[in-house]
């Protein structure tokens, strides 16, 4: 979360009540590198916001000990694509029953050790798991 130095007209995205079951379609957004080569000097960052269709993975689809009730395993629907360096803090969204996007997760990191971003699952901090804390922090610092 960040505190802005002036009010804005936009409303914040709604935090989902629950992240959804494994298999739930989601979408991730970000400005992270689109080439996850080991050589940082060759990383390429986009000028425009990127989006990727993903889905909630089962806990077992991430490395043991990585995913749980507060950390969501996320699987790309597109081969060789996933959130990467520079995407941390970006949203993971899902459509609710009324066709509105809700926040379910925040980019955290890879879902397995030693695996390149494009070759493995992603790990997302569950926004619904921390919704109470987020709402309390926003009301105190509004």
């Amino acid at each position: 979360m960040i505190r802005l130095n002036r009010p804005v007209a936009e409303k914040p995205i709604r935090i989902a009540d629950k992240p959804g079951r494994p298999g739930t379609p989601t979408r991730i957004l970000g400005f992270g590198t689109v080439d996850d080569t080991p050589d940082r000097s060759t990383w390429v960052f986009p000028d425009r916001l990127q989006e990727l269709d993903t889905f909630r993975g089962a806990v077992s689809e991430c490395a043991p000990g990585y995913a749980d009730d507060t950390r969501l395993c996320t699987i790309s629907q597109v081969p060789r694509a996933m959130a990467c360096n520079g995407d941390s803090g970006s949203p993971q969204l899902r459509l609710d029953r009324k066709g509105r996007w809700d926040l379910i997760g925040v980019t955290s990191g890879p879902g397995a050790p030693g695996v390149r971003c494009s070759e493995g699952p992603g790990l997302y901090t569950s926004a619904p798991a921390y919704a109470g804390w987020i709402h309390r922090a926003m009301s105190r610092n509004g």
Side-chain angles (χ1 to χ4, degrees):
M1 290 193 314
I2 59 170
R3 179 184 284 194
L4 302 175
N5 64 359
R6 60 183 159 71
V8 294
E10 293 80 10
K11 290 185 177 184
I13 191 165
R14 191 176 92 85
I15 299 173
D17 295 330
K18 297 180 180 177
R21 296 181 180 152
T24 297
T26 62
R27 180 167 293 162
I28 59 175
L29 308 173
F31 285 99
T33 182
V34 294
D35 185 1
D36 63 342
T37 63
D39 180 1
R40 290 179 180 214
S41 68
T42 64
W43 287 355
V44 176
F45 293 91
D47 292 329
R48 293 187 175 175
L49 182 65
Q50 303 294 296
E51 59 182 64
L52 179 66
D53 288 330
T54 55
F55 62 90
R56 279 276 329 273
V59 168
S60 61
E61 292 181 89
C62 277
Y66 272 60
D68 57 25
D69 290 342
T70 63
R71 298 175 297 181
L72 310 175
C73 188
T74 301
I75 309 296
S76 176
Q77 295 182 32
V78 177
R80 298 192 42 78
M82 181 46 79
C84 205
N85 299 292
D87 283 320
S88 295
S90 298
Q92 180 180 25
L93 312 170
R94 73 173 170 103
L95 283 173
D96 72 7
R97 290 187 173 129
K98 295 180 181 177
R100 297 176 304 196
W101 290 103
D102 287 342
L103 179 69
I104 67 162
V106 179
T107 311
S108 178
V115 176
R116 288 174 57 177
C117 305
S118 63
E119 295 174 359
L123 197 63
Y124 283 72
T125 299
S126 172
Y130 294 96
W133 177 85
I134 292 167
H135 292 303
R136 284 190 303 275
M138 287 176 62
S139 66
R140 278 193 312 267
N141 297 300

